[in-house]
Amino acid sequence: QSALTQPASVSGSPGQSITISCTGTSSDVGGYNYVSWYQQHPGKAPKLMIYGVSNRPSGVSYRFSGSKSGNTASLTISGLQAEDEADYYCGSYTNSNTLMFGGGTKLTVL
Amino acid sequence: QVQLQESGPELVKPSETLSLTCAVSGGSISNYYWSWIRQSPGKGLDWIGYIYYTGRTTYNPSLRSRVSISVDTSKSKFSLKLSSVTAADTAVYFCARCDDYVIKDWGQGTLVTVSS
């Protein structure tokens, strides 16, 4: 199974909004509402930020939101803050009953 | 929130079997899937597989011939075995709790290096 496609990097200034895309196929992202997003700071374990396409776990800032259109899911971070600088990974369930991740996107806050 | 802690050898020789165990605390091991995920240095996340508490397993097709995940509900632990390792298997290995196909809780990760 090939990794979901994410841009290698995105950047934005404090206070701005950015969007990270995650493109798959109808066998994964497009076929199920089991898309999740994870934030990973250097040397740390990933942290769940969005699940079920657009749901935020308790404790995750309202500045993080998720959506999906067809085979592409998106993570939007509004009101960028320095602490948002991290790597972001999307994940999806697949029709083979497996999970798969995107290649990851490095977010730089300028 | 459940806590997960990986343990096992940090150094494994090429062609040998990598073995890791994950201890689960702060919650029941029942009614969830338990997963292993790895991350090679400087690379992205790679899903290895998961096991339901009943013992039912699903593996990444790219690793299926070399991987085995087991669970011991009496000890609240689950384990990973990866055979015939090479340098390409050098990675940080995370154990995790999976609920509704979402990785909700992660261990801190353990670096396993494959080298002679």
Side-chain angles (χ1 to χ4, degrees), chain B residues 47-67:
Chain B
W47 180 76
I48 297 171
Y50 51 31
I51 187 166
Y52 195 48
Y53 77 103
T54 56
R56 183 172 73 238
T57 55
T58 305
Y59 302 127
N60 185 324
S62 68
L63 297 170
R64 184 175 293 143
S65 64
R66 298 194 293 129
V67 70

Side-chain angles (χ1 to χ4, degrees), chain A residues 20 28 32 35 44 50 54 57 60 63-64 73 99 101 103 105:
Chain A
I20 300 171
D28 37 71
Y32 306 92
V35 177
K44 300 294 187 182
I50 295 288
S54 60
V60 172
R63 299 184 299 104
F64 290 82
L99 301 182
F101 292 103
T105 298

Side-chain angles (χ1 to χ4, degrees), chain B:
Chain B
Q1 183 172 335
V2 70
Q3 286 81 48
L4 303 110
Q5 179 65 58
E6 306 90 351
S7 62
E10 297 177 351
L11 181 65
V12 181
K13 289 182 168 53
S15 80
E16 295 190 344
T17 296
L18 178 159
S19 296
L20 294 173
T21 296
C22 183
V24 179
S25 60
S28 174
I29 200 166
S30 298
N31 301 316
Y32 292 108
Y33 282 86
W34 302 92
S35 189
W36 288 97
I37 296 150
R38 68 181 183 178
Q39 186 171 35
S40 299
K43 303 295 186 182
L45 302 173
D46 186 22
W47 180 76
I48 297 171
Y50 51 31
I51 187 166
Y52 195 48
Y53 77 103
T54 56
R56 183 172 73 238
T57 55
T58 305
Y59 302 127
N60 185 324
S62 68
L63 297 170
R64 184 175 293 143
S65 64
R66 298 194 293 129
V67 70
S68 175
I69 298 175
S70 59
V71 64
D72 185 338
T73 55
S74 67
K75 295 182 179 179
S76 287
K77 293 182 178 181
F78 62 105
S79 299
L80 168 71
K81 290 188 185 298
L82 183 66
S83 63
S84 305
V85 298
T86 69
D89 294 309
T90 293
V92 174
Y93 285 76
F94 296 98
C95 63
R97 181 176 72 96
C98 182
D99 186 15
D100 270 346
Y101 311 113
V102 178
I103 305 296
K104 291 197 170 178
D105 298 293
W106 299 71
Q108 64 184 22
T110 185
L111 174 62
V112 179
T113 301
V114 178
S115 175
S116 55

Side-chain angles (χ1 to χ4, degrees), chain A residues 13-92:
Chain A
S13 300
Q16 289 185 332
S17 295
I18 63 94
T19 297
I20 300 171
S21 61
C22 170
T23 301
T25 69
S26 58
S27 296
D28 37 71
V29 172
Y32 306 92
N33 286 326
Y34 289 123
V35 177
S36 49
W37 289 90
Y38 306 89
Q39 176 193 66
Q40 186 180 34
H41 287 110
K44 300 294 187 182
K47 173 188 175 183
L48 177 65
M49 304 302 284
I50 295 288
Y51 68 95
V53 176
S54 60
N55 299 293
R56 271 182 292 107
S58 174
V60 172
S61 172
Y62 68 92
R63 299 184 299 104
F64 290 82
S65 62
S67 63
K68 190 182 82 166
S69 177
N71 295 336
T72 298
S74 298
L75 172 71
T76 297
I77 309 174
S78 59
L80 268 181
Q81 300 179 0
E83 68 207 48
D84 300 332
E85 185 162 294
D87 294 327
Y88 290 84
Y89 295 90
C90 61
S92 177

